Amino acid sequence: MTAAPHSSLAKRLAGLNLYLVGMMGTGKSAVGRPLATALGYRFIDADSTLERAAGRTIAEIFASDGESDFRQLETGVLNQIASWHSLVVATGGGAVTRPENWGHLRQGVVIWLDASAERLLERIQQDPTPRPLMQSPDPGARLRELIAQRQALYAQADLVIEQQDETPQEVAEAVLTALPTILKARGEAPQQPAVLRNGDGELTQSLN
């Protein structure tokens, strides 16, 4: 079996999941697949996982149960995903809006894929996927409204990747290049036992 191109980086990640966050249209799934392949990770689309578990599409869930129930299902899916490891996860655009979800996301590395509103609107309009939150007579205004609501939440990510006209593969490579800059280097074990001072002020040797 051929080793993953970035197996050394995967070793540094030590099984930590990578969570891709960002607005609809940022290409989280398209970027997530080559990113997972490069690391030897598995890729999971949280929205698709939710639809399979619910036996309904997201649009159907919104129509029958509303956004609040959808968000509850989404939290359940992220809770399950967080119990696994070595995954690249494409999250739904609104996953960052629930504090409970951050408890799951923070168990891994959170990566914000950002892009301009104009670029996002162009991609959304070219994509036939139903988007319940974009049902508006003025999609551009609605999109800017959602961005304004979520931008500060996305900004809590560990890593931000700004997109222009790059392909998903190029964005994945940008993520791979940037990841080492936020991973803490593991310190080497001390060559000599550490020396501590006890409550009486006397120097004592630690157990290592």
Side-chain angles (χ1 to χ4, degrees):
M1 182 176 178
T2 304
H6 291 266
S7 56
S8 60
L9 177 55
K11 186 175 180 180
R12 287 187 62 188
L13 286 166
L16 283 175
N17 291 339
L18 303 184
Y19 293 95
L20 303 181
V21 302
M23 285 295 299
M24 60 186 86
T26 52
K28 298 183 291 290
S29 293
V31 172
R33 291 185 179 91
L35 180 58
T37 298
L39 292 168
Y41 269 33
R42 287 190 299 144
F43 170 75
I44 285 185
D45 184 301
D47 280 350
S48 297
T49 302
L50 187 155
E51 289 182 330
R52 286 195 299 272
R56 294 178 291 166
T57 67
I58 290 173
E60 289 169 341
I61 295 169
F62 264 80
S64 63
D65 304 330
E67 183 176 0
S68 178
D69 281 9
F70 166 76
R71 295 296 173 203
Q72 189 65 37
L73 288 171
E74 183 176 55
T75 296
V77 168
L78 290 175
N79 178 50
Q80 180 63 56
I81 289 174
S83 69
W84 302 329
H85 65 87
S86 305
L87 303 175
V88 173
V89 184
T91 66
V96 296
T97 61
R98 295 195 80 190
E100 301 96 314
N101 294 344
W102 279 98
H104 304 314
L105 300 176
R106 286 296 183 203
Q107 295 180 44
V109 179
V110 186
I111 303 164
W112 175 20
L113 301 185
D114 192 17
S116 69
E118 293 74 21
R119 194 171 306 281
L120 293 177
L121 184 59
E122 180 181 350
R123 291 178 178 178
I124 291 168
Q125 290 176 333
Q126 293 173 352
D127 186 349
T129 303
R131 300 186 184 275
L133 292 179
M134 286 295 291
Q135 301 306 310
S136 168
D138 188 344
R142 177 57 177 155
L143 179 63
R144 289 189 293 273
E145 179 185 5
L146 289 171
I147 292 173
Q149 292 171 0
R150 298 172 179 177
Q151 194 160 30
L153 297 169
Y154 292 140
Q156 296 177 38
D158 301 300
L159 182 64
V160 181
I161 301 295
E162 299 279 353
Q163 300 180 83
Q164 300 298 328
D165 294 316
E166 300 89 350
T167 66
Q169 181 66 50
E170 289 170 337
V171 177
E173 288 295 334
V175 173
L176 292 165
T177 299
L179 270 174
T181 67
I182 64 167
L183 295 178
K184 294 180 180 179
R186 296 189 177 185
E188 294 183 1
Q191 299 301 310
Q192 299 295 329
V195 176
L196 307 175
R197 193 177 297 276
N198 64 20
D200 296 325
E202 302 171 337
L203 294 179
T204 61
Q205 191 166 286
S206 69
L207 296 179
N208 62 323

